[in-house]
Amino acid sequence: MDSKLKFRMTNIGVVKQADVELGDFTIIVGRNNTGKTHMAYAIYGFLRGFREIMLSEPFAHSLDEHFKRIASLTTRQIVDLLRDKGRVEWEINEVDLQRERRSLLVEMTRIYSESGLANVFSASPESFANASFEIDLNHTMNKDIPLAMRIEEGRLLSFSYDGARVVVSLTGDQPPEDPVVPHLIQYWLQWTYPYFLLDDPVAWGYDPFILSTQRFSVSLFYRELDSKRSKIVRLLQQEENQQKGRRELTPAPMSRTSRLSLPIHDNIDFARNLSDLTQSRSVEGNLNTVSDLVELVGGQYELEDEAILFTSSRNKKEAFAIPLHLASSAAGEMSFMYFFLKHVNDKHDYLLIIDEPECHLDTANQIQITRMLARLVNSGTKVLITTHSDYIAKEVNNLIMLSGSFADKEETVRCLGYQRDDYLNPDSVRAYVAENETLTPCPKDKYGVDLPLFDKTIDDINRVSDDLYARLNEVQEEA
């Protein structure tokens, strides 16, 4: 399925209204405070919270209304039929089903707009009172892909559609007579039915992983953050118990809210879970990209006693592991990327979001990380970046031109130091400039993407340089 996700965001941060379609490689450029990060975070928040929305109480109500319209049955009646007969079906044509798919997705984005956005940014609901987040579902349902989900050991909840009717079935051992079983069936029906109905990258193709601009600080200080948090919690609990006349220190529920946005919070959780992650599995599909990253930073990473260590590979005779805080800023910057590639990205439906991948990288490494991201895209992972880097933008254009046809291509590619996996198909790239409280799509062709923001800045500084150079020469000639 080759459909693309299209988002419309309104009144999110400084962005009044912006439309963005995700490609296999999506790049958003812009000056500071133009809304790039807000848009990336909003997209991440929706895809990250997709399952949570499906299990929310408002969505349960919407789904019940949906079933009443299309099947003349309530959710509970469908659950009872599945429990008693193991099967329920209803007739519906493709036009009506498409309308219901859109209606259900509109409801999900409404729930996210009203409650999810504020949580993503750890802000008050009033801050996003007029905000909205919408998705354009632009393709018809794929009837050739039925869906079967295991609800518990030995039982499958299955869905299919043949163009005229929807069939839902519960197979496996007959459920025992237990009040919890209908509740379990309803839970899994609410959780799995949207995946079947939407049949869309929202459900299938975009499992998000984000690297926030604070990733460097998180990689260095997450243990200290945990320590400080534990100390504060203990002090607050002690104070609360003393106020209540208690001598013992017992856990007490406290309503404290974090001021960290969801991407930063998730980066901290990723760091906390590295020990379990690195011990449990290692991904084989990204070995080449991991090697690219090792070459870029000049070393590799390991975890010892829950601390990240970096070992330089540039001086193998004297190589030794050092704590990450003693390594270069570039090494710290790329640590989470290393663990993501080596231990997480084992399938082709990840959307890797990187806020400013150029952070702490010199210009040569900015070019190298662009090639690495292109290779990742060509392996099946989708990438969304926000950037200020002209070097990244220019290298994206070089990689697009590499995909074209020209004389002596193999020899030229080899002489320029590129690989076949570096090519970027222009059709896979989407580029935008964040400006004037919106996003402006950038035209592209076989020569790359037109990014006037960078071109104007470069022209301006070249014009100043030429003017000063000429004036200095005039003074020298007069002397």
Side-chain angles (χ1 to χ4, degrees):
M1 183 169 47
D2 192 32
S3 60
K4 303 294 183 184
L5 273 180
K6 295 181 179 179
F7 302 101
R8 168 164 288 184
M9 290 168 274
T10 305
N11 294 325
I12 296 178
V14 300
V15 178
K16 295 303 181 186
Q17 187 173 90
D19 296 331
V20 57
E21 179 184 73
L22 292 186
D24 295 333
F25 194 126
T26 307
I27 176 171
I28 302 176
V29 305
R31 301 187 64 185
N32 293 326
N33 302 315
T34 53
K36 302 185 304 299
T37 297
H38 272 79
M39 288 182 279
Y41 281 15
I43 291 171
Y44 172 77
F46 178 78
L47 296 175
R48 154 78 160 73
F50 185 75
R51 296 175 180 86
E52 296 173 13
I53 295 171
M54 290 191 301
L55 295 176
S56 67
E57 192 62 34
F59 184 72
H61 176 74
S62 299
L63 192 60
D64 192 55
E65 295 299 315
H66 165 83
F67 286 139
K68 289 176 184 177
R69 287 194 302 270
I70 68 170
S72 299
L73 295 168
T74 65
T75 303
R76 184 53 194 260
Q77 287 172 327
I78 292 175
V79 168
D80 289 342
L81 286 169
L82 289 172
R83 181 194 58 188
D84 298 336
K85 301 182 180 298
R87 178 185 174 96
V88 61
E89 63 181 69
W90 55 84
E91 294 183 357
I92 184 168
N93 61 48
E94 293 191 26
V95 174
D96 289 343
L97 190 64
Q98 182 75 356
R99 183 184 65 245
E100 287 299 327
R101 295 173 69 217
R102 292 183 181 278
S103 174
L104 209 60
L105 190 56
V106 165
E107 187 61 18
M108 295 186 78
T109 54
R110 182 192 66 80
I111 293 170
Y112 177 63
S113 298
E114 292 181 357
S115 58
L117 276 172
N119 291 332
V120 168
F121 294 94
S122 190
S124 66
E126 292 76 17
S127 302
F128 291 87
N130 298 316
S132 67
F133 185 92
E134 304 168 61
I135 295 181
D136 178 18
L137 189 65
N138 61 355
H139 74 278
T140 57
M141 189 172 184
N142 188 342
K143 301 187 292 293
D144 299 327
I145 305 179
L147 174 67
M149 301 287 284
R150 187 177 71 172
I151 62 172
E152 61 179 13
E153 192 64 36
R155 297 198 188 116
L156 289 178
L157 190 61
S158 304
F159 306 84
S160 64
Y161 177 63
D162 61 8
R165 62 178 181 169
V166 172
V167 177
V168 187
S169 58
L170 181 64
T171 56
D173 298 334
Q174 189 66 24
E177 296 299 327
D178 190 327
V180 76
V181 171
H183 177 75
L184 179 66
I185 297 172
Q186 181 169 338
Y187 173 87
W188 282 103
L189 180 68
Q190 184 175 337
W191 191 69
T192 57
Y193 181 75
Y195 280 91
F196 160 72
L197 184 66
L198 294 178
D199 182 34
D200 187 82
V202 168
W204 293 107
Y206 292 89
D207 193 358
F209 183 89
I210 194 165
L211 296 173
S212 69
T213 49
Q214 288 81 9
R215 57 190 177 272
F216 180 46
S217 299
V218 170
S219 66
L220 294 181
F221 302 122
Y222 72 94
R223 297 181 73 188
E224 285 77 6
L225 288 171
D226 282 350
S227 175
K228 294 292 185 184
R229 184 183 66 168
S230 298
K231 184 176 181 180
I232 291 171
V233 168
R234 288 196 301 270
L235 289 173
L236 289 171
Q237 289 174 336
Q238 186 177 17
E239 179 184 355
E240 184 174 348
N241 288 329
Q242 289 173 349
Q243 290 175 352
K244 293 180 179 180
R246 300 174 181 168
R247 292 185 178 180
E248 72 278 12
L249 187 63
T250 56
M254 296 184 301
S255 58
R256 309 290 180 193
T257 58
S258 166
R259 303 314 299 173
L260 300 175
S261 65
L262 180 65
I264 301 172
H265 177 275
D266 285 352
N267 282 177
I268 294 173
D269 276 352
F270 181 70
R272 288 172 180 154
N273 295 326
L274 279 178
S275 181
D276 292 338
L277 189 66
T278 55
Q279 292 176 17
S280 63
R281 65 185 202 167
S282 183
V283 175
E284 298 297 330
N286 285 304
L287 293 181
N288 290 336
T289 314
V290 171
S291 297
D292 293 337
L293 191 146
V294 169
E295 182 179 351
L296 187 153
V297 298
Q300 53 189 329
Y301 306 83
E302 60 181 315
L303 211 65
E304 185 175 299
D305 295 330
E306 298 187 356
I308 301 174
L309 302 179
F310 178 76
T311 302
S312 174
S313 59
R314 288 182 175 149
N315 188 348
K316 295 183 179 180
K317 292 183 179 180
E318 300 179 6
F320 57 91
I322 59 175
L324 197 60
H325 72 274
L326 297 178
S328 70
S329 56
E333 189 70 37
M334 302 304 294
S335 59
F336 282 5
M337 172 78 89
Y338 176 88
F339 289 111
F340 166 73
L341 293 175
K342 191 169 183 179
H343 298 286
V344 177
N345 190 30
D346 60 347
K347 52 185 179 179
H348 289 172
D349 60 355
Y350 271 99
L351 170 65
L352 174 61
I353 302 174
I354 311 180
D355 205 3
E356 300 178 15
E358 68 272 17
C359 284
H360 297 104
L361 298 183
D362 61 42
T363 53
N365 275 338
Q366 290 178 38
I367 293 171
Q368 286 303 114
I369 196 173
T370 308
R371 297 184 189 184
M372 190 182 77
L373 292 176
R375 293 166 193 164
L376 201 57
V377 167
N378 288 324
S379 74
T381 298
K382 296 174 178 63
V383 173
L384 164 64
I385 64 171
T386 68
T387 183
H388 304 289
S389 171
D390 176 51
Y391 291 92
I392 288 178
K394 295 297 186 187
E395 186 64 5
V396 166
N397 286 348
N398 288 340
L399 302 184
I400 288 175
M401 286 190 284
L402 282 175
S403 69
S405 298
F406 47 86
D408 301 321
K409 181 170 181 175
E410 290 187 9
E411 179 65 16
T412 301
V413 170
R414 185 185 64 81
C415 290
L416 292 175
Y418 290 96
Q419 305 175 17
R420 177 64 183 84
D421 289 342
D422 295 339
Y423 302 177
L424 276 177
N425 186 327
D427 292 337
S428 70
V429 178
R430 301 290 184 276
Y432 302 87
V433 174
E435 58 184 356
N436 301 324
E437 302 177 335
T438 187
L439 277 182
T440 302
C442 299
K444 62 181 185 295
D445 54 26
K446 63 181 180 180
Y447 304 109
V449 179
D450 182 14
L451 292 168
L453 175 74
F454 292 133
D455 293 339
K456 182 180 183 305
T457 303
I458 293 171
D459 289 343
D460 287 346
I461 197 169
N462 285 339
R463 189 161 42 249
V464 170
S465 179
D466 291 343
D467 188 29
L468 292 173
Y469 182 83
R471 291 177 185 277
L472 286 171
N473 279 343
E474 288 176 5
V475 171
Q476 185 175 358
E477 291 173 0
E478 292 175 358

